[in-house]
């Protein structure tokens, strides 16, 4: 923890009294000066001690004096009373309160040298504590590196130690590890930064309100990956040392981790293909020998798709979803570029996958109803076909088979194409002759009343024979009879397109 004014106020032998400002102001050093302008001789975060000798008892220059200190980054002014001033000048306190400068009263018995010594002792104690904390963090990282899988253990430990989000990416941009869970949302931004700089050198950049430190993992000439550490406050000296230790530990295994990830994905895909081929017993044996956990009981299967450039993101997001890991969901890619999730049918299962989809732009999918594992081969072709044909309007959604039906056929056709087809279909009913006897309205009413002539003629306010005549003319113009269910369906769809 950095030395703060509160730490100095806690020294009872100094008898310091806070008169203005905050006690959490950070102090990096102390300096004594009665100059009207001491700022050329002080660094930022310095506690300045003065008796106000250079400014007089009733000086109107206190606002200018405070302004100089604030601009120089002085957080605390220690004002000695009993020599030149019996009390801290009110104009000084008023301006300090307005500008956020902390002011403490230093009583006459307290020597400035005692305050300086207290600051120095506090800084030494702070440095000692930081070194001790750093050593403990180093040991923690080493212990994590001995816990399989080491790259994930190190990343998780580092994130906890620094209260930051941490990502480890392979040279190809695959997410190897991330902590905490929401860290993966920054993966694309890190990839873009690496691509923008076109180098594997250390870098610092901002993501929203976070400051991100980027470090290559492995040899600079051929870095195996990159480590990104982000948080709202910059890393301090000893924290940067902790990150460098983590990089050294990760350098030993990041290439192997990338190879392991690829191998694990191939193994999961193999097990999935066996399940979808109906070979569940063989799949269970293979999964057991490979150390792959399979979900128990009734399961749901989801087929998910995303734009080509985002498929890797979708797969990584699902692989790293903690809720899916807990229930032993099988997440794998198939030979058609889909991401397939097989998971137990438990409360909230659909919501978990939906939440992941919503974080990957352009992704969507279809999920089936709960079935036994042995039934997946039977329902998979339908689920896969639906996922491949879900319209663009469903982007970001995980649909059930009922949802797909509710979307409606027209969602699969672009508005311009649908309207063009509808106009062409109804064109024969819009000739000059057809308009004179309102064939378009007549056919619309006839179809709306399900072919009931009495109901349609009543709705149109015409005699039934007139309706029969008009329908006969319409059949002639269309070249097909209304007894053809295909014609009735096409005409009704055309009306629907133009009226929506």
């Amino acid at each position: 923890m950095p030395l703060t004014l509160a730490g100095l106020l806690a020294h009872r032998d100094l008898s310091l009294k806070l008169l203005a400002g905050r006690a959490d102001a950070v102090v990096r050093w102390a300096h004594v000066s009665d100059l009207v302008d001491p700022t050329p001789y002080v660094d930022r975060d310095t506690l300045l001690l003065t008796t106000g000798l250079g400014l007089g008892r009733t000086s109107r220059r206190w606002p200018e004096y405070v302004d100089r200190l604030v601009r120089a980054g002085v957080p605390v002014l220690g004002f000695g009373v009993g020599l030149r001033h019996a009390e801290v000048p009110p104009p000084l306190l008023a301006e300090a309160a307005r500008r956020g400068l902390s002011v403490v009263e230093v009583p006459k018995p307290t020597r400035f040298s005692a305050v300086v010594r207290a600051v120095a002792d506090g800084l030494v104690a702070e440095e000692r504590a930081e070194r001790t904390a750093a050593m403990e963090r180093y040991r923690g990282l080493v212990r994590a590196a001995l816990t399989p899988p080491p790259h994930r253990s190190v990343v998780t430990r580092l994130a906890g130690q620094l209260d930051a989000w941490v990502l480890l990416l392979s040279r190809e941009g695959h997410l190897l590890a991330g902590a905490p869970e929401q860290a993966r949302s920054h993966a694309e931004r890190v990839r873009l930064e690496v691509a923008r700089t076109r180098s594997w050198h250390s870098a610092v950049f901002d993501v929203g309100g976070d400051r991100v430190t980027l470090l290559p993992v492995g040899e600079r000439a051929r870095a195996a990956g990159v480590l990104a550490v982000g948080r709202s406050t910059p890393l301090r000296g000893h924290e940067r040392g902790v990150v460098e230790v983590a990089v050294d530990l990760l350098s030993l295994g990041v290439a192997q981790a990338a190879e392991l990830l690829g191998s694990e994905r191939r193994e999961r895909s193999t097990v999935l293909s066996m399940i979808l081929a109906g070979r569940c017993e063989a799949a269970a044996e293979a999964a057991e020998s490979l150390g792959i956990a399979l979900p128990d009981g009734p399961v749901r299967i989801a087929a998910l798709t995303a734009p080509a450039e985002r498929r890797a993101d979708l797969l990584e997001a699902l692989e790293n979803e903690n809720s899916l890991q807990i229930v032993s969901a099988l997440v794998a890619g198939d030979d058609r570029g889909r991401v397939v999730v097989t998971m137990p049918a438990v409360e909230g299962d659909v919501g978990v996958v939906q939440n992941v989809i919503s974080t990957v732009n352009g992704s969507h999918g279809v999920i089936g109803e709960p079935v036994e594992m042995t039934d997946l081969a039977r329902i998979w072709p339908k689920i896969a076909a639906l996922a491949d044909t879900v319209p663009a309007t469903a982007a970001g959604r995980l649909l059930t088979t009922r949802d797909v039906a509710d979307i409606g056929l027209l969602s699969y056709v672009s508005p311009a194409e649908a309207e063009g087809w509808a106009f062409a279909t109804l064109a024969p009913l819009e000739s000059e002759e057809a308009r004179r006897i309102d064939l378009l309205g007549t056919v619309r009413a006839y179809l709306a009343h399900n072919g009931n002539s009495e109901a349609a003629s009543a709705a149109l306010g015409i005699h039934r024979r007139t309706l029969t005549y008009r329908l006969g003319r319409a059949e002639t113009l269309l070249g097909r009879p209304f007894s053809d269910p295909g014609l009735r369906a096409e005409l009704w769809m055309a009306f629907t397109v133009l009226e929506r």
Side-chain angles (χ1 to χ4, degrees), residues 272 275-276 293-295 298-303 324 327-332 339-345 353 373 376 380:
L272 173 67
I275 292 174
L276 298 183
L294 293 179
V299 295
R300 292 180 184 270
I301 190 166
L324 295 178
V327 298
S328 300
L330 178 63
V331 179
V339 179
V340 184
V341 180
T342 304
M343 59 184 179
V353 180
M373 185 81 77
L376 290 180
W380 169 247

Side-chain angles (χ1 to χ4, degrees), residues 150-151 168-172 176 216-219 223-227 247 249-261:
H151 61 290
L168 176 65
L169 277 66
S170 70
R171 186 177 184 86
E172 294 73 28
L176 301 177
V217 178
E219 297 181 6
V226 64
L227 183 72
V247 168
L249 293 171
L250 291 169
S251 297
L252 302 176
V254 68
Q256 292 89 330
E259 293 178 4
L260 177 62
L261 177 63

Side-chain angles (χ1 to χ4, degrees), residues 219-268:
E219 297 181 6
R220 290 184 181 275
R222 181 63 180 174
V226 64
L227 183 72
V229 180
R231 71 178 189 187
S232 58
T233 57
L235 296 176
R236 301 177 62 193
H238 73 285
E239 291 175 327
R240 289 193 292 271
V242 171
V243 174
E244 290 172 1
V245 170
V247 168
D248 290 340
L249 293 171
L250 291 169
S251 297
L252 302 176
V254 68
Q256 292 89 330
E259 293 178 4
L260 177 62
L261 177 63
S263 176
E264 289 176 347
R265 287 177 172 175
R266 289 190 293 272
E267 291 169 354
R268 292 197 301 269

Side-chain angles (χ1 to χ4, degrees), residues 1-53:
M1 293 292 292
L3 177 64
T4 64
L5 177 56
L8 296 176
L9 294 173
H11 284 261
R12 294 185 178 180
D13 55 324
L14 296 178
S15 301
L16 302 179
K17 183 179 180 181
L18 180 63
L19 300 181
R22 299 170 52 175
D24 60 356
V26 174
V27 176
R28 301 286 182 196
W29 193 239
H31 182 73
V32 180
S33 176
D34 279 329
L35 293 175
V36 174
D37 183 7
T39 57
Y41 307 100
V42 295
D43 296 322
R44 296 188 66 85
D45 297 333
T46 294
L47 163 63
L48 180 65
L49 296 164
T50 184
T51 63
L53 188 63

Side-chain angles (χ1 to χ4, degrees), residues 311-472:
R311 286 174 188 165
D313 296 337
L314 180 60
L315 178 58
E316 289 169 0
L318 291 163
E319 288 173 335
N320 288 281
E321 173 56 49
N322 188 52
S323 298
L324 295 178
Q325 295 174 1
I326 291 175
V327 298
S328 300
L330 178 63
V331 179
D334 70 358
D335 56 4
R336 295 288 299 275
R338 310 181 192 94
V339 179
V340 184
V341 180
T342 304
M343 59 184 179
V346 296
E347 184 177 355
D349 49 5
V350 176
V352 170
V353 180
Q354 173 63 71
N355 288 340
V356 175
I357 286 179
S358 65
T359 66
V360 182
N361 292 336
S363 61
H364 57 260
V366 175
I367 189 167
E369 296 300 317
V371 297
E372 294 301 323
M373 185 81 77
T374 52
D375 287 330
L376 290 180
R378 175 179 58 81
I379 70 168
W380 169 247
K382 179 175 68 174
I383 299 296
L386 291 175
D388 290 342
T389 57
V390 168
T393 55
R397 295 178 59 191
L398 178 64
L399 306 173
T400 63
T401 51
R402 176 59 183 272
D403 292 332
V404 175
D406 290 343
I407 286 177
L409 179 63
L410 294 180
S411 297
Y412 291 84
V413 184
S414 71
E417 292 174 343
E419 288 180 3
W421 170 83
F423 281 128
T425 301
L426 299 176
L429 303 179
E430 294 191 289
S431 64
E432 184 175 345
E433 175 194 355
R435 289 182 179 181
R436 281 200 305 269
I437 56 177
D438 189 21
L439 288 188
L440 202 63
T442 300
V443 171
R444 172 71 173 77
Y446 178 69
L447 295 175
H449 290 83
N450 297 315
N452 187 311
S453 297
E454 291 185 4
S457 59
L460 291 168
I462 60 176
H463 194 276
R464 186 175 177 182
R465 291 180 180 176
T466 303
L467 175 66
T468 302
Y469 168 74
R470 290 184 182 181
L471 293 178

Side-chain angles (χ1 to χ4, degrees), residues 99-325:
R99 298 296 302 275
L101 174 68
S102 297
V103 178
V104 294
E105 179 185 274
V106 183
K108 186 176 181 180
T110 301
R111 296 178 180 274
F112 281 180
S113 60
V115 178
V116 173
R117 185 166 56 252
V119 172
D121 291 344
L123 293 175
V124 169
E126 175 195 354
E127 184 178 354
R128 186 184 303 114
E130 288 185 350
R131 285 201 301 268
T132 301
M135 288 303 300
E136 183 55 36
R137 287 172 173 174
Y138 297 160
R139 296 188 187 99
L141 289 174
V142 172
R143 289 193 294 269
L146 299 175
T147 305
H151 61 290
R152 292 177 184 168
S153 299
V154 169
V155 165
T156 301
R157 177 62 65 91
L158 182 63
Q161 288 179 344
L162 302 182
D163 190 22
W165 57 263
V166 181
L167 294 174
L168 176 65
L169 277 66
S170 70
R171 186 177 184 86
E172 294 73 28
H174 298 308
L175 179 61
L176 301 177
E181 282 191 48
Q182 61 268 27
R184 67 169 181 259
S185 64
H186 301 294
E188 183 61 23
R189 179 66 179 85
V190 173
R191 292 191 189 99
L192 290 174
E193 185 64 23
V194 173
R196 185 186 67 80
T197 58
R198 296 184 179 180
S199 69
W200 289 86
H201 298 295
S202 302
V204 178
F205 59 96
D206 294 323
V207 172
D210 291 339
R211 192 69 168 166
V212 182
T213 300
L214 206 61
L215 292 171
V217 178
E219 297 181 6
R220 290 184 181 275
R222 181 63 180 174
V226 64
L227 183 72
V229 180
R231 71 178 189 187
S232 58
T233 57
L235 296 176
R236 301 177 62 193
H238 73 285
E239 291 175 327
R240 289 193 292 271
V242 171
V243 174
E244 290 172 1
V245 170
V247 168
D248 290 340
L249 293 171
L250 291 169
S251 297
L252 302 176
V254 68
Q256 292 89 330
E259 293 178 4
L260 177 62
L261 177 63
S263 176
E264 289 176 347
R265 287 177 172 175
R266 289 190 293 272
E267 291 169 354
R268 292 197 301 269
S269 293
T270 298
V271 172
L272 173 67
S273 64
M274 296 171 71
I275 292 174
L276 298 183
R279 300 166 55 202
C280 290
E281 291 186 8
E285 293 176 0
E288 183 178 2
S289 65
L290 294 171
I292 299 174
L294 293 179
D296 296 324
V299 295
R300 292 180 184 270
I301 190 166
L304 314 174
T305 62
E309 67 276 10
R310 301 306 304 274
R311 286 174 188 165
D313 296 337
L314 180 60
L315 178 58
E316 289 169 0
L318 291 163
E319 288 173 335
N320 288 281
E321 173 56 49
N322 188 52
S323 298
L324 295 178
Q325 295 174 1

